[in-house]
Amino acid sequence: MEILMSILIGVLITAGTYLVMSRSLLRIILGTSVIGHGALLLLLTTAGLKEGAPPITNIEALTYADPLPQALILTAIVINFATTGFFLVLAYRAYKELGTDDMDKLRGIDDE
Amino acid sequence: MNNIIILLLLIPLLTGVLLIFLRNRISAQRWLSILSLLAVGVIAAIIIQRVLNEGTMTLDLGGWEPPYGIVLVADMFAMLLVFTTVIVGICCLLYGFRTIGEEREKFYFYTFVQFLLVGVMGSFLTGDLFNLFVFFEVMLLSSYVLIALGGKKVQLRESIKYVLVNIVSSMLFLIAIAYLYGMLGTLNFAHMAIRVSEAGQDGLLTTVAIFLMLVFAIKAALLMYFWLPGSYGAPPMAIAALFAALLTKVGIYSIFRLFSVVFPHQPEITHQLLAWLGILTMIIGAIGAVAHWSLRKILAYNVVVAVGFMIAGFAVFTTTAIAGSVFYLIHDMFVKALLFILGGIMIGLTGTDKLREMSGMIRNHASLGWMFFIAALALAGVPPLSGFIGKLLVLQGAIGEGFYIIAAVGLITSLMVLYSVVKIFINGFWGENQLTVEDEKMSTKGTLLPSAILTVIVIGMGLGAEFVNVYIMEAAEVINNPSLYIDAVMPNGE
């Protein structure tokens, strides 16, 4: 299972990186989102995947899943959602204001 | 008992929320935001005195003892930075009152300044790596809004790059946290430190440590400074001053904390790397500062030079050098805010940030000119101003340990920094006065107060170094002797 997850994470981060390198702003935003999913899955995987164990319900439980990674991921998902939402709005505003979503044309010049 | 620590975060957070409901009542917003920061300042001063007398204070949130809960740690180093943050925040707000404009004030400028300060102070106080990530995001999200607020073309363009760089580095931060949690099974600084020293810092851990260093290097503009000059040049100077004084410092603080408490065991790799990063950053920043003729760009590159100097000082890793770095860190927060505010007034008066189009401002604005001169000297480290002691201690430490390159580069870049700011002074204040009072784009009324406060602090920190040193030495002691920190957080061991 861990190996499958590692491959999936690798694919996600590769695809995300490829998208971030592209010129279109929308693809870049999608890329950051995909990288984010890869990072979250990595957090889940490195903490150890267990099958069939419930979270801690009583102290005597012999086997249980670690609840902390879930808590961390939940927090990170919320943050990821907020930043992606903000980034999309910012990109839309910039597109309307500047008339382009091509990163090459957003390079900027000193004199305006 | 120690619950007072949480007030440092709660007051600005609740004030920020309250300000949302006072959208159209601008004077109420101004008063509330200043009052909130004054209250935080007083509380911070009280905590600093208690920390000086009784040692590090900690607060286990929700009553969960570490390592199970999140812990806030108020040691001297963190508290000094919190106190500095508050003062810088007050001065930038005072400057913002006059210059930020009604449009931005109505669209929650004050709210986001409060949230930004929550993020900055939370990052200084937290004792948990994931919580540090969360406070980083609080700070960054507010800074995204502040940098884009107003929606001018240059702001939108630069904010896209700023947001992108920071989102990617936050993802790297998350990946580093994932690796560390997988290896150590904990994210509490003190608990991680115990486990690392028990298990030994092997190659894998050092690699992850360097990965984390990369993350903070992007945030602190250490060598990876490419995003900084553009994005600090876009927003109004009141916001740029806040950013220059605070944002990169959070990254520097994180490097100081992590590589003194958690990963101090292989200095021949990690600290050596930090030293070289610092040296390169100083050189590149100084070249940038000398090369540009735009006021905003010169000031932005000066931020980069200072980052390099502090990290190089930390990398020497002796008591003297660390004390020097801490002193310089606090000095730099004040002096960068001062320089950006003064630069903002100059840009506001002339309506341009091109040095070649300014001249002779000393005739109508003598006090502005002299304050800029003092700030320039302090930045370069001329005695008896505040930059001198920090530089002296770092150089003493570096030479004592045989880091001659750091000492040499530090001295040469100081001269280049001095040249770059004196260039602003000469072009802006000397020469023929082309600007009559009627032609000026804004009045300096009310903007000189925050600059005067900061100038007095910069002079006072230099002249009163004996007094300040008591606190700085205490702060450096905690960095130098991480067992103090670990014992304060986890008094009963693991």
Side-chain angles (χ1 to χ4, degrees):
Chain A
M1 193 64 182
E2 271 84 358
I3 293 175
L4 264 178
M5 286 292 270
S6 313
I7 295 172
L8 177 63
I9 295 160
V11 170
L12 279 176
I13 292 185
T14 317
T17 313
Y18 176 74
L19 284 174
V20 168
M21 300 284 184
S22 63
R23 276 165 55 177
S24 152
L25 194 50
L26 199 58
R27 285 176 186 225
I28 292 177
I29 299 173
L30 288 177
T32 59
S33 195
V34 173
I35 294 181
H37 295 320
L40 295 177
L41 283 180
L42 181 70
L43 197 52
L44 195 67
T45 312
T46 51
L49 297 168
K50 276 197 191 126
E51 280 180 40
I56 309 176
T57 46
N58 57 345
I59 301 294
E60 287 86 40
L62 287 175
T63 166
Y64 52 85
D66 183 0
L68 195 60
Q70 270 87 347
L72 301 185
I73 288 169
L74 196 61
T75 317
I77 286 175
V78 176
I79 293 172
N80 213 343
F81 170 71
T83 42
T84 310
F86 178 81
F87 204 0
L88 279 169
V89 173
L90 182 70
Y92 180 63
R93 179 75 196 275
Y95 174 69
K96 275 177 68 175
E97 202 79 18
L98 302 165
T100 177
D101 72 336
D102 188 337
M103 286 310 270
D104 271 2
K105 291 181 186 145
L106 291 175
R107 194 181 294 265
I109 27 169
D110 282 339
D111 297 293
E112 290 188 271
Chain B
M1 239 286 276
N2 286 349
N3 281 340
I4 192 173
I5 299 173
I6 196 75
L7 282 180
L8 294 173
L9 303 176
L10 270 188
I11 293 175
L13 185 67
L14 293 179
T15 313
V17 175
L18 186 63
L19 291 180
I20 297 177
F21 298 105
L22 298 172
R23 184 179 161 195
N24 286 319
R25 304 179 57 185
I26 290 173
S27 63
Q29 287 201 37
R30 290 178 174 178
W31 277 106
L32 267 178
S33 33
I34 285 287
L35 280 179
S36 135
L37 289 189
L38 283 176
V40 176
V42 170
I43 293 169
I46 293 172
I47 297 179
I48 286 178
Q49 278 310 325
R50 274 183 60 183
V51 170
L52 187 68
N53 295 329
E54 300 160 22
T56 306
M57 287 162 65
T58 62
L59 173 64
D60 306 334
L61 294 180
W64 292 91
E65 275 175 30
Y68 297 109
I70 290 169
V71 58
L72 294 184
V73 187
D75 68 333
M76 188 52 97
F77 180 40
M79 282 315 299
L80 283 180
L81 293 178
V82 167
F83 189 64
T84 314
T85 304
V86 175
I87 295 181
V88 167
I90 291 175
C91 291
C92 290
L93 272 181
L94 285 174
Y95 176 65
F97 288 167
R98 291 283 162 193
T99 55
I100 204 75
E102 198 180 324
E103 193 78 328
R104 288 194 175 90
E105 287 178 312
K106 278 194 176 164
F107 282 93
Y108 313 115
F109 166 72
Y110 296 116
T111 302
F112 283 104
V113 170
Q114 299 282 325
F115 288 163
L116 182 85
L117 293 177
V118 173
V120 172
M121 293 192 284
S123 312
F124 291 148
L125 287 173
T126 184
D128 182 278
L129 191 61
F130 192 78
N131 200 228
L132 180 69
F133 169 74
V134 173
F135 275 120
F136 252 107
E137 290 301 314
V138 172
M139 175 186 91
L140 288 173
L141 261 174
S142 324
S143 74
Y144 299 159
V145 177
L146 284 175
I147 203 172
L149 195 66
K152 284 194 289 181
K153 283 188 176 174
V154 56
Q155 280 183 302
L156 289 170
R157 204 184 56 217
E158 294 303 332
S159 61
I160 287 176
K161 298 167 196 167
Y162 177 75
V163 172
L164 179 61
V165 167
N166 276 301
I167 286 183
V168 170
S169 70
S170 291
M171 288 308 137
L172 296 179
F173 195 172
L174 209 54
I175 291 171
I177 288 177
Y179 286 138
L180 268 184
Y181 187 73
M183 278 182 218
L184 299 172
T186 178
L187 292 172
N188 183 297
F189 287 151
H191 199 202
M192 284 200 290
I194 293 175
R195 294 214 168 152
V196 169
S197 60
E198 272 172 3
Q201 188 177 339
D202 57 3
L204 212 51
L205 266 175
T206 307
T207 314
V208 177
I210 291 172
F211 194 71
L212 261 180
M213 188 199 291
L214 171 86
V215 172
F216 292 125
I218 298 176
K219 310 242 184 209
L222 177 65
L223 195 61
M224 277 151 285
Y225 68 95
F226 47 81
W227 53 272
L228 192 143
S231 47
Y232 282 22
M237 283 306 252
I239 297 172
L242 209 54
F243 283 14
L246 303 179
L247 294 198
T248 52
K249 308 302 182 287
V250 179
I252 295 172
Y253 166 83
S254 310
I255 290 178
F256 274 37
R257 186 62 93 204
L258 269 177
F259 287 90
S260 67
V261 174
V262 186
F263 302 112
H265 304 294
Q266 284 203 319
E268 70 277 7
I269 298 175
T270 50
H271 292 67
Q272 197 73 23
L273 190 62
L274 278 176
W276 282 107
L277 286 176
I279 291 168
L280 285 175
T281 313
M282 276 193 274
I283 296 174
I284 296 172
I287 292 174
V290 169
H292 279 279
W293 280 89
S294 139
L295 208 163
R296 279 172 179 267
K297 284 270 161 59
I298 294 176
L299 293 183
Y301 274 102
N302 272 316
V303 175
V304 179
V305 183
V307 170
F309 188 77
M310 285 175 257
I311 293 294
F314 171 72
V316 173
F317 218 52
T318 63
T319 319
T320 330
I322 288 176
S325 264
V326 174
F327 199 106
Y328 198 81
L329 179 58
I330 291 166
H331 143 83
D332 194 64
M333 288 167 83
F334 287 126
V335 84
K336 284 285 143 55
L338 175 59
L339 269 178
F340 270 75
I341 287 176
L342 293 172
I345 299 174
M346 289 169 72
I347 293 175
L349 287 172
T350 55
T352 172
D353 75 336
K354 310 245 175 330
L355 289 182
R356 291 200 170 95
E357 292 167 21
M358 301 177 180
S359 78
M361 271 191 279
I362 194 103
R363 219 166 280 279
N364 292 330
H365 302 284
S367 54
L368 180 67
W370 287 115
M371 281 196 278
F372 193 92
F373 188 62
I374 292 172
L377 292 186
L379 188 68
V382 175
L385 299 164
S386 59
F388 172 66
I389 295 116
K391 286 211 166 160
L392 179 74
L393 290 174
V394 168
L395 292 181
Q396 266 182 354
I399 291 171
E401 284 290 297
F403 281 98
Y404 297 111
I405 302 181
I406 291 180
V409 172
L411 283 173
I412 294 169
T413 51
S414 294
L415 279 180
M416 289 164 83
V417 162
L418 184 64
Y419 167 73
S420 75
V421 275
V422 165
K423 187 167 78 179
I424 300 178
F425 180 73
I426 290 176
N427 279 281
F429 292 100
W430 285 4
E432 203 67 26
N433 185 18
Q434 302 159 338
L435 200 68
T436 58
V437 181
E438 294 80 52
D439 285 341
E440 285 168 0
K441 308 280 190 298
M442 67 170 232
S443 89
T444 55
K445 187 169 157 279
T447 54
L448 291 179
L449 174 67
S451 3
I453 297 175
L454 286 169
T455 313
V456 168
I457 292 174
V458 166
I459 298 173
M461 250 183 95
L463 292 179
E466 283 296 316
F467 172 73
V468 185
N469 232 9
V470 180
Y471 298 93
I472 303 281
M473 281 302 164
E474 179 74 22
E477 178 65 27
V478 180
I479 303 175
N480 212 35
N481 195 353
S483 62
L484 287 175
Y485 183 92
I486 297 167
D487 289 342
V489 177
M490 301 179 69
N492 308 320
E494 195 163 348

